[in-house]
Amino acid sequence: MIEIPSDLNPDLVPLAFLLGTWEGAGVSDFPGAEKCNFGQSVTFSHDGRDFIEYHSYSWVLDNDGNKVRPLESESGYWRIDKDRKVEVVMVRDQGIVEIWYGELADQKPQIDLATDAVARTAASGAYSGGKRLYGYVKSDLMWVGEKATPEVPLRPYMSAHLKKVVTPEEVAEMARNLPDMPDDGIAFFR
């Protein structure tokens, strides 16, 4: 279920499905880079203004699912206009700054984005643009990213399946909202 915080800027209601911290795993595969499984933690938060703050951290996983080393991190700001057009400003740890534009699909929580502008430092690797698709599917957040370099045409390079993390405060709130349990606790499930 998608909850809309009472202090969320009204302009951001269409993006409310993104809010929270999400964790899970995915696959990374791009020519010239190590193919690997990765873990990821993504947080979408707000402070009442007209944007959602975004932070993503990922790390390489070994064959047993253990954290090996950092993979990449990025942060940025998401906005949406009255026509459901989405804009994202993002900074990556590799020395890349991007502006993404896209839109929220009609009647479903899905966002298609494509880079409009890319700026790179001298130390960053080759990169010329990308596309991303984010979707809220059966209470999970899934995404797939495509990437292009001057040598490699646009192609998928990362995807992940993330589950929402429930904080202790959210658990306490859910417990407060439960109906009174019968004394034996079993009758509730009948």
Side-chain angles (χ1 to χ4, degrees):
M1 179 164 80
I2 299 171
E3 292 188 30
I4 300 172
S6 60
D7 60 342
L8 183 65
N9 184 301
D11 295 343
L12 298 175
V13 168
L15 298 179
F17 72 94
L18 294 171
L19 293 174
T21 297
W22 303 83
E23 293 183 352
V27 176
S28 178
D29 182 14
F30 195 78
E34 172 189 17
K35 180 178 179 177
C36 67
N37 292 326
F38 66 89
Q40 184 177 30
S41 178
V42 176
T43 300
F44 291 93
S45 61
H46 72 95
D47 64 7
R49 291 183 281 175
D50 69 341
F51 58 83
I52 290 178
E53 193 169 352
Y54 163 79
H55 295 281
S56 171
Y57 304 95
S58 59
W59 52 91
V60 174
L61 297 173
D62 66 17
N63 291 335
D64 296 322
N66 298 310
K67 188 176 187 177
V68 176
R69 66 182 174 283
L71 181 60
E72 63 179 45
S73 60
E74 53 191 31
S75 60
Y77 301 92
W78 294 53
R79 288 183 169 83
I80 187 167
D81 70 15
K82 61 181 174 42
D83 297 319
R84 303 172 68 84
K85 302 295 185 204
V86 178
E87 65 179 38
V88 179
V89 176
M90 191 179 303
V91 177
R92 294 197 203 188
D93 62 352
Q94 298 105 339
I96 297 171
V97 177
E98 301 162 289
I99 296 174
W100 298 77
Y101 286 108
E103 66 183 305
L104 179 62
D106 191 33
Q107 303 296 315
K108 60 183 172 181
Q110 177 180 306
I111 300 171
D112 281 298
L113 296 170
T115 51
D116 179 67
V118 174
R120 300 181 304 112
T121 64
S124 73
Y127 175 70
S128 51
K131 287 185 172 186
R132 290 201 187 169
L133 173 65
Y134 291 83
Y136 183 78
V137 181
K138 297 181 181 176
S139 299
D140 293 346
L141 184 63
M142 299 173 152
W143 71 272
V144 62
E146 297 180 54
K147 175 169 131 173
T149 69
E151 299 80 27
V152 180
L154 189 68
R155 66 171 295 252
Y157 82 105
M158 284 182 104
S159 63
H161 183 158
L162 309 173
K163 298 206 172 279
K164 192 159 194 179
V165 175
V166 181
T167 66
E169 294 80 18
E170 291 169 321
V171 171
E173 181 64 25
M174 286 187 271
R176 280 191 294 277
N177 292 326
L178 281 177
D180 289 335
M181 297 282 283
D183 289 339
D184 66 1
I186 295 171
F188 178 78
F189 295 100
R190 292 187 185 145

